[in-house]
Amino acid sequence: MSAVASEEALGTGRRKTSVARVRIKPGSGKITVNGRELTEFFRIVQDQNAVTGPLDHCELRDKVDVKILVDGGGTTGQAGACTQGIARALLKHDSELIEKLREKNYMSRDSRMKERKKYGLHGARRGTQFSKR
């Protein structure tokens, strides 16, 4: 028996320094990111596919509307945060999707973080320029 919850399901996803807050509700498959269309916000096809991955894998792409608020980090990190947020919201929407979402590791947090700046260097690894004279 499907455990479909209330109208709207919420999920939060994170990757590196990006945070995505995702709202899913039954609809026609419209995806908005920070008030813009998915293809307008994420110009790279790889990032678009990352965002829609959980929806395509669970075959819910045309059955739910997704509204995402994302900030922090770069575009790829934001796409990863959106992926995890959508997966968590889908799980709240229908708890029987847990095995399907785990098959592709959509529920796992990527533990890699931005490397911190080191003392005496310009960044995490970049040192000062060498000069002979």
Side-chain angles (χ1 to χ4, degrees):
M1 183 173 149
S2 179
V4 176
S6 64
E7 287 282 315
E8 198 169 86
L10 307 176
T12 303
R14 292 183 178 88
R15 182 161 190 271
K16 289 191 172 181
T17 56
S18 300
V19 179
R21 289 168 287 162
V22 179
R23 292 177 183 268
I24 288 179
K25 62 181 180 180
S28 60
K30 185 177 179 185
I31 301 174
T32 58
V33 183
N34 288 352
R36 295 189 285 175
E37 293 291 321
L38 174 69
T39 55
E40 185 183 334
F41 190 84
F42 290 113
R43 296 284 183 176
I44 302 171
V45 176
Q46 181 181 356
D47 293 339
Q48 294 171 11
N49 290 337
V51 172
T52 59
L55 296 169
D56 292 335
H57 188 65
C58 295
E59 299 168 358
L60 292 171
R61 177 80 185 267
D62 299 331
K63 297 174 184 166
V64 293
D65 286 342
V66 181
K67 188 175 180 183
I68 304 171
L69 293 176
V70 62
D71 62 348
T75 55
T76 303
Q78 288 182 343
C82 292
T83 302
Q84 189 186 30
I86 289 173
R88 287 181 173 177
L90 284 175
L91 186 62
K92 286 185 181 174
H93 181 72
D94 186 355
S95 61
E96 291 187 353
L97 296 173
I98 184 73
E99 292 302 320
K100 279 193 125 179
L101 293 170
R102 281 191 176 155
E103 283 175 4
K104 297 250 181 173
N105 284 337
Y106 290 130
M107 298 302 294
S108 299
R109 165 78 155 93
D110 190 351
S111 62
R112 295 175 292 177
M113 297 294 288
K114 179 184 176 187
E115 188 173 345
R116 74 170 198 89
K117 181 191 176 301
K118 309 295 187 309
Y119 176 77
L121 299 176
H122 289 294
R125 300 188 183 214
R126 188 179 189 283
T128 57
Q129 184 175 4
F130 175 74
S131 175
K132 284 188 176 178
R133 296 175 198 101

